[in-house]
Short mmCIF file of all heavy atoms in Angstrom, two decimals:
data_model
loop_
_atom_site.label_atom_id
_atom_site.label_comp_id
_atom_site.label_asym_id
_atom_site.label_seq_id
_atom_site.Cartn_x
_atom_site.Cartn_y
_atom_site.Cartn_z
N PRO A 397 0.75 -1.24 0.04
CA PRO A 397 -0.01 0.02 -0.01
C PRO A 397 0.83 1.31 -0.03
O PRO A 397 0.34 2.35 -0.44
CB PRO A 397 -0.78 -0.12 1.31
CG PRO A 397 0.09 -0.94 2.14
CD PRO A 397 0.73 -1.95 1.30
N ARG A 398 2.09 1.18 0.47
CA ARG A 398 2.89 2.34 0.59
C ARG A 398 4.28 2.16 0.06
O ARG A 398 5.00 1.27 0.52
CB ARG A 398 3.02 2.80 2.11
CG ARG A 398 3.64 4.08 2.31
CD ARG A 398 3.68 4.41 3.77
NE ARG A 398 4.55 5.62 3.98
CZ ARG A 398 5.09 5.89 5.12
NH1 ARG A 398 5.04 5.16 6.18
NH2 ARG A 398 5.91 6.99 5.16
N VAL A 399 4.63 2.95 -0.95
CA VAL A 399 5.99 2.92 -1.49
C VAL A 399 6.55 4.32 -1.51
O VAL A 399 5.75 5.21 -1.67
CB VAL A 399 6.02 2.25 -2.90
CG1 VAL A 399 5.53 0.86 -2.91
CG2 VAL A 399 5.20 3.07 -3.92
N VAL A 400 7.84 4.38 -1.46
CA VAL A 400 8.52 5.71 -1.54
C VAL A 400 9.61 5.61 -2.56
O VAL A 400 10.18 4.60 -2.74
CB VAL A 400 9.12 6.19 -0.19
CG1 VAL A 400 8.03 6.35 0.85
CG2 VAL A 400 10.11 5.14 0.33
N LEU A 401 9.85 6.77 -3.23
CA LEU A 401 10.91 6.92 -4.20
C LEU A 401 11.98 7.73 -3.67
O LEU A 401 11.75 8.91 -3.24
CB LEU A 401 10.41 7.47 -5.58
CG LEU A 401 11.40 7.67 -6.72
CD1 LEU A 401 11.98 6.30 -7.06
CD2 LEU A 401 10.65 8.23 -7.96
N ASN A 402 13.22 7.20 -3.70
CA ASN A 402 14.36 7.91 -3.06
C ASN A 402 15.21 8.67 -4.11
O ASN A 402 15.49 8.16 -5.14
CB ASN A 402 15.28 6.93 -2.37
CG ASN A 402 14.57 6.15 -1.22
OD1 ASN A 402 13.83 6.80 -0.48
ND2 ASN A 402 14.88 4.93 -1.05
N PHE A 403 15.55 9.90 -3.75
CA PHE A 403 16.49 10.74 -4.50
C PHE A 403 17.62 11.07 -3.59
O PHE A 403 17.49 11.96 -2.71
CB PHE A 403 15.77 11.92 -5.03
CG PHE A 403 14.66 11.71 -5.97
CD1 PHE A 403 13.33 11.55 -5.49
CD2 PHE A 403 14.86 11.58 -7.32
CE1 PHE A 403 12.29 11.33 -6.40
CE2 PHE A 403 13.88 11.34 -8.23
CZ PHE A 403 12.61 11.23 -7.79
N LYS A 404 18.78 10.47 -3.77
CA LYS A 404 19.89 10.66 -2.79
C LYS A 404 20.76 11.83 -3.30
O LYS A 404 20.97 12.05 -4.50
CB LYS A 404 20.69 9.29 -2.74
CG LYS A 404 19.86 8.19 -2.23
CD LYS A 404 20.73 6.91 -2.20
CE LYS A 404 19.87 5.71 -1.60
NZ LYS A 404 20.68 4.49 -1.52
N TRP A 405 21.37 12.49 -2.27
CA TRP A 405 22.32 13.55 -2.61
C TRP A 405 23.50 12.94 -3.38
O TRP A 405 23.85 11.86 -3.16
CB TRP A 405 22.85 14.26 -1.36
CG TRP A 405 21.85 14.78 -0.45
CD1 TRP A 405 21.76 14.55 0.97
CD2 TRP A 405 20.71 15.63 -0.66
NE1 TRP A 405 20.70 15.17 1.51
CE2 TRP A 405 20.03 15.92 0.52
CE3 TRP A 405 20.25 16.23 -1.80
CZ2 TRP A 405 18.92 16.73 0.64
CZ3 TRP A 405 19.08 17.04 -1.72
CH2 TRP A 405 18.47 17.32 -0.54
N GLY A 406 24.06 13.77 -4.22
CA GLY A 406 25.16 13.36 -5.03
C GLY A 406 25.60 14.34 -6.10
O GLY A 406 24.84 15.35 -6.30
N ASP A 407 26.74 14.17 -6.68
CA ASP A 407 27.18 15.11 -7.73
C ASP A 407 26.32 14.91 -8.96
O ASP A 407 25.86 13.80 -9.30
CB ASP A 407 28.65 14.84 -8.09
CG ASP A 407 29.59 15.15 -6.91
OD1 ASP A 407 29.26 16.00 -6.16
OD2 ASP A 407 30.60 14.41 -6.80
N PRO A 408 25.97 15.94 -9.67
CA PRO A 408 25.13 15.81 -10.93
C PRO A 408 25.81 14.91 -11.86
O PRO A 408 27.01 14.99 -12.21
CB PRO A 408 25.07 17.23 -11.46
CG PRO A 408 25.35 18.15 -10.22
CD PRO A 408 26.36 17.38 -9.40
N ALA A 409 25.04 13.98 -12.48
CA ALA A 409 25.51 13.11 -13.45
C ALA A 409 25.73 13.86 -14.80
O ALA A 409 25.02 14.80 -15.10
CB ALA A 409 24.58 11.91 -13.68
N ALA A 410 26.64 13.33 -15.63
CA ALA A 410 26.96 14.00 -16.96
C ALA A 410 25.98 13.73 -17.98
O ALA A 410 25.85 14.43 -19.00
CB ALA A 410 28.36 13.60 -17.34
N GLU A 411 25.19 12.60 -17.80
CA GLU A 411 24.20 12.26 -18.86
C GLU A 411 22.90 11.79 -18.29
O GLU A 411 22.84 11.32 -17.11
CB GLU A 411 24.87 11.14 -19.79
CG GLU A 411 25.03 9.78 -19.05
CD GLU A 411 25.59 8.74 -20.00
OE1 GLU A 411 26.00 9.10 -21.15
OE2 GLU A 411 25.57 7.57 -19.57
N ILE A 412 21.88 11.90 -19.09
CA ILE A 412 20.61 11.35 -18.79
C ILE A 412 20.50 10.06 -19.52
O ILE A 412 20.80 9.94 -20.73
CB ILE A 412 19.45 12.23 -19.17
CG1 ILE A 412 19.34 13.45 -18.26
CG2 ILE A 412 18.13 11.53 -19.33
CD1 ILE A 412 18.27 14.38 -18.54
N LEU A 413 20.14 8.94 -18.78
CA LEU A 413 20.12 7.66 -19.35
C LEU A 413 18.73 7.11 -19.43
O LEU A 413 17.90 7.17 -18.52
CB LEU A 413 20.88 6.67 -18.52
CG LEU A 413 21.13 5.21 -18.92
CD1 LEU A 413 21.88 5.23 -20.25
CD2 LEU A 413 21.98 4.42 -17.92
N VAL A 414 18.30 6.76 -20.69
CA VAL A 414 16.97 6.39 -20.97
C VAL A 414 16.91 4.92 -21.36
O VAL A 414 17.53 4.50 -22.36
CB VAL A 414 16.32 7.27 -22.10
CG1 VAL A 414 14.84 6.88 -22.28
CG2 VAL A 414 16.52 8.68 -21.74
N TYR A 415 16.17 4.12 -20.61
CA TYR A 415 15.95 2.70 -21.01
C TYR A 415 14.62 2.55 -21.64
O TYR A 415 13.55 3.12 -21.24
CB TYR A 415 15.96 1.86 -19.66
CG TYR A 415 17.25 1.80 -19.05
CD1 TYR A 415 17.57 2.68 -18.01
CD2 TYR A 415 18.21 0.80 -19.35
CE1 TYR A 415 18.82 2.58 -17.30
CE2 TYR A 415 19.45 0.73 -18.61
CZ TYR A 415 19.69 1.65 -17.65
OH TYR A 415 20.90 1.58 -16.98
N VAL A 416 14.58 1.83 -22.77
CA VAL A 416 13.35 1.62 -23.55
C VAL A 416 13.13 0.15 -23.79
O VAL A 416 14.12 -0.65 -23.91
CB VAL A 416 13.30 2.46 -24.83
CG1 VAL A 416 13.26 3.93 -24.54
CG2 VAL A 416 14.46 2.08 -25.66
N ASP A 417 11.92 -0.27 -23.92
CA ASP A 417 11.55 -1.61 -24.26
C ASP A 417 10.20 -1.60 -24.91
O ASP A 417 9.43 -0.67 -24.85
CB ASP A 417 11.54 -2.47 -23.02
CG ASP A 417 11.52 -3.96 -23.31
OD1 ASP A 417 11.84 -4.31 -24.45
OD2 ASP A 417 11.17 -4.82 -22.45
N ALA A 418 9.85 -2.75 -25.54
CA ALA A 418 8.53 -2.92 -26.20
C ALA A 418 8.11 -4.34 -26.05
O ALA A 418 8.94 -5.27 -26.08
CB ALA A 418 8.51 -2.45 -27.64
N ASP A 419 6.82 -4.56 -25.87
CA ASP A 419 6.18 -5.88 -25.95
C ASP A 419 5.47 -6.00 -27.23
O ASP A 419 4.34 -5.53 -27.40
CB ASP A 419 5.24 -6.03 -24.73
CG ASP A 419 4.63 -7.42 -24.67
OD1 ASP A 419 5.24 -8.36 -25.07
OD2 ASP A 419 3.47 -7.54 -24.20
N PHE A 420 6.09 -6.77 -28.16
CA PHE A 420 5.57 -6.94 -29.55
C PHE A 420 4.19 -7.70 -29.53
O PHE A 420 4.03 -8.71 -28.98
CB PHE A 420 6.54 -7.65 -30.33
CG PHE A 420 5.99 -7.97 -31.75
CD1 PHE A 420 5.37 -7.06 -32.60
CD2 PHE A 420 6.12 -9.35 -32.25
CE1 PHE A 420 4.95 -7.45 -33.80
CE2 PHE A 420 5.61 -9.67 -33.48
CZ PHE A 420 5.04 -8.66 -34.25
N ALA A 421 3.21 -6.96 -30.11
CA ALA A 421 1.82 -7.58 -30.22
C ALA A 421 1.31 -8.17 -28.96
O ALA A 421 0.56 -9.17 -28.87
CB ALA A 421 1.82 -8.73 -31.28
N GLY A 422 1.58 -7.40 -27.83
CA GLY A 422 1.19 -7.92 -26.51
C GLY A 422 -0.32 -7.93 -26.34
O GLY A 422 -0.80 -8.72 -25.43
N CYS A 423 -1.06 -7.12 -26.96
CA CYS A 423 -2.57 -7.08 -26.83
C CYS A 423 -3.13 -8.20 -27.67
O CYS A 423 -3.02 -8.14 -28.93
CB CYS A 423 -3.14 -5.75 -27.24
SG CYS A 423 -4.93 -5.73 -27.11
N THR A 424 -3.67 -9.19 -27.09
CA THR A 424 -4.25 -10.35 -27.81
C THR A 424 -5.48 -9.98 -28.61
O THR A 424 -5.86 -10.71 -29.54
CB THR A 424 -4.51 -11.52 -26.95
OG1 THR A 424 -5.42 -11.06 -25.87
CG2 THR A 424 -3.19 -12.04 -26.25
N ALA A 425 -6.15 -8.91 -28.28
CA ALA A 425 -7.38 -8.57 -28.95
C ALA A 425 -7.07 -7.69 -30.21
O ALA A 425 -7.70 -7.89 -31.26
CB ALA A 425 -8.27 -7.81 -28.01
N THR A 426 -6.10 -6.80 -30.11
CA THR A 426 -5.83 -5.77 -31.18
C THR A 426 -4.42 -6.11 -31.90
O THR A 426 -4.19 -5.53 -32.88
CB THR A 426 -5.86 -4.33 -30.78
OG1 THR A 426 -4.79 -4.12 -29.78
CG2 THR A 426 -7.21 -4.09 -30.07
N ARG A 427 -3.59 -6.83 -31.16
CA ARG A 427 -2.25 -7.11 -31.64
C ARG A 427 -1.39 -5.80 -31.63
O ARG A 427 -0.43 -5.78 -32.33
CB ARG A 427 -2.19 -7.76 -32.99
CG ARG A 427 -2.65 -9.15 -32.91
CD ARG A 427 -1.69 -9.97 -32.02
NE ARG A 427 -2.21 -11.28 -31.71
CZ ARG A 427 -1.98 -11.94 -30.64
NH1 ARG A 427 -1.30 -11.39 -29.62
NH2 ARG A 427 -2.48 -13.16 -30.43
N LYS A 428 -1.81 -4.79 -30.89
CA LYS A 428 -0.98 -3.67 -30.75
C LYS A 428 0.12 -3.84 -29.67
O LYS A 428 -0.09 -4.72 -28.79
CB LYS A 428 -1.80 -2.42 -30.36
CG LYS A 428 -2.67 -1.92 -31.48
CD LYS A 428 -3.43 -0.65 -31.04
CE LYS A 428 -4.21 -0.07 -32.22
NZ LYS A 428 -4.90 1.22 -31.85
N SER A 429 1.28 -3.16 -29.78
CA SER A 429 2.31 -3.34 -28.89
C SER A 429 2.29 -2.27 -27.88
O SER A 429 1.65 -1.32 -28.00
CB SER A 429 3.68 -3.38 -29.66
OG SER A 429 3.70 -4.27 -30.71
N THR A 430 3.13 -2.49 -26.80
CA THR A 430 3.24 -1.49 -25.73
C THR A 430 4.68 -1.04 -25.62
O THR A 430 5.64 -1.82 -25.67
CB THR A 430 2.80 -2.17 -24.41
OG1 THR A 430 1.44 -2.49 -24.42
CG2 THR A 430 3.09 -1.18 -23.22
N SER A 431 4.84 0.27 -25.50
CA SER A 431 6.18 0.90 -25.37
C SER A 431 6.32 1.25 -23.83
O SER A 431 5.36 1.77 -23.23
CB SER A 431 6.34 2.12 -26.17
OG SER A 431 6.28 1.92 -27.52
N GLY A 432 7.48 1.01 -23.29
CA GLY A 432 7.78 1.32 -21.89
C GLY A 432 9.12 2.02 -21.87
O GLY A 432 9.99 1.77 -22.71
N GLY A 433 9.30 2.82 -20.83
CA GLY A 433 10.58 3.43 -20.75
C GLY A 433 10.81 3.97 -19.26
O GLY A 433 9.84 4.11 -18.50
#
């Protein structure tokens, strides 16, 4: 029921890192895919 997201002190990172993924044809009714990131 209760979760927290932690942001710890630290030096600023030099880059923003983006993870992406997709579930191909994951919807069995429409065969549309889902993008996540």
Side-chain angles (χ1 to χ4, degrees):
R398 187 181 171 203
V399 299
V400 296
L401 181 58
N402 295 322
F403 296 92
K404 299 180 180 179
W405 305 130
D407 296 329
E411 66 178 12
I412 284 179
L413 187 57
V414 184
Y415 294 91
V416 294
D417 195 17
D419 181 31
F420 171 53
C423 178
T424 55
T426 65
R427 286 301 169 210
K428 289 185 176 181
S429 306
T430 294
S431 297

